[in-house]
Amino acid sequence: MTTIDRRAALRTGAGLVAAGGLSAACTPSGAVPHPEHARAPGTPRTAGTPRTAGTQNPAGTPGAPGTPTSPAPSSTPGGPAAPRRFPGRPPQIEHGPRTRPRVALTFHGNGDPGTAHALLAEAERHGARLTVLAVGTWLDEHPALARRVLDGGHDLGNHTQHHVGVNDLPEREAYAEITDCAHRLTRLTGSIGTWFRPSRAARASPLVERLARRAGYPHVLSYDVDSLDFTEPGAAAVTRTVLDRIQPGSIVSLHFGYADTVAALPAVLEELDRRGLTAVTATELIR
């Protein structure tokens, strides 16, 4: 075990025990895919099949078969942040301004909730704010995590309902993937969330980009640093990958559900501090 691994393990071990431990990660067999093509940790290969007829409204009542319903209003008075339009920024945002000493650590919200609690707690100990793009079925299973993210001062956004290859779906099904997750977020928090990120892809297809905009998200949140934490390369490798590539304005893709990510985060945050880089939400990074 390297020095980084030992230090990270000592700092995060107690939190993981308190949170209930970590689940085994799952990735497809064969060649290493893009991180968004990995299955969520602990889910079977058959999970996550989208519905092909009907969606649900915010109250959970089925809509007319084959007719995607529209999201509820994106915010309530005094409620959490809703999506913002950033004039001059492209429809798909890969990084923020390079002239300010800020970065955004973004996490795909899925998998064992114990890792989510551990990562949020570690970030808050360092005064860092994260961006969590949540999968709708994950919110269904762990609804309290939506408020936990927001109460910690972090961004909470949409990562589709079933974490399927949204770019490969027909229009009706792709739109349902976006709006169904938006409905979950609205029901739990009063907002459709601050950002949309496509599942199993770094960037949205032109169709999905248009559908996200129709659903109320002016921008798609991409990234310029891929941690590759889903490949479970070890905490030291995750740390090295992030720190070798990160620069002012970077948006980093990470995941809940993987022990390597939990173990790597303390060293990543310590080195960001040493470099004078502050981890802020994606909204804070772009504005």
Side-chain angles (χ1 to χ4, degrees):
M1 181 179 286
T2 66
T3 301
I4 288 176
D5 285 336
R6 283 196 297 271
R7 183 173 67 244
L10 287 171
R11 297 189 58 178
T12 60
L16 291 175
V17 171
L22 301 172
S23 64
C26 298
T27 57
S29 60
V32 175
H34 185 278
E36 275 303 300
H37 289 262
R39 285 182 290 115
T43 59
R45 290 183 183 277
T46 56
T49 302
R51 294 191 309 278
T52 57
T55 62
Q56 290 191 342
N57 63 21
T61 304
T67 304
T69 55
S70 298
S74 60
S75 63
T76 56
R84 288 183 53 182
R85 185 177 300 279
F86 295 94
R89 299 294 298 180
Q92 300 202 49
I93 297 177
E94 295 183 352
H95 62 80
R98 298 298 192 189
T99 55
R100 292 184 295 190
R102 294 179 171 185
V103 297
L105 304 180
T106 68
F107 288 81
H108 300 183
N110 209 359
D112 178 18
T115 61
H117 285 289
L119 286 160
L120 292 167
E122 184 63 29
E124 289 156 14
R125 279 193 288 273
H126 281 264
R129 289 182 294 277
L130 311 178
T131 298
V132 178
L133 292 313
V135 174
T137 53
W138 186 70
L139 293 174
D140 290 340
E141 294 171 3
H142 313 290
L145 275 169
R147 288 302 333 173
R148 170 65 184 90
V149 170
L150 294 175
D151 290 346
H154 312 287
D155 267 358
L156 179 64
N158 181 330
H159 197 41
T160 74
Q161 179 62 19
H162 296 95
H163 201 260
V164 294
V166 67
N167 284 346
D168 300 324
L169 295 178
E171 179 173 347
R172 183 185 66 183
E173 295 176 23
Y175 189 59
E177 281 294 315
I178 300 169
T179 56
D180 280 5
C181 187
H183 295 329
R184 268 61 173 183
L185 288 163
T186 299
R187 187 169 64 236
L188 292 170
T189 72
S191 167
I192 66 171
T194 51
W195 298 95
F196 168 74
R197 174 175 288 169
S199 48
R200 304 200 179 193
R203 293 180 59 83
S205 67
L207 171 62
V208 170
E209 181 187 306
R210 292 195 301 272
L211 296 177
R213 190 160 52 247
R214 186 198 305 172
Y217 301 95
H219 303 277
V220 172
L221 187 65
S222 185
Y223 47 87
D224 64 324
V225 177
D226 191 339
S227 70
L228 299 176
D229 57 349
F230 84 103
T231 64
E232 300 181 273
V238 173
T239 302
R240 187 165 53 250
T241 297
V242 171
L243 295 177
D244 284 352
R245 301 175 185 179
I246 203 166
Q247 58 181 305
S250 281
I251 298 174
V252 184
S253 172
L254 296 140
H255 295 74
F256 287 163
Y258 293 96
D260 290 345
T261 313
V262 179
L265 188 62
V268 168
L269 292 173
E270 288 170 8
E271 179 61 16
L272 292 180
D273 287 343
R274 192 190 70 78
R275 297 183 189 182
L277 295 173
T278 302
V280 297
T281 66
T283 301
E284 293 171 305
L285 180 75
I286 304 302
R287 71 185 180 196

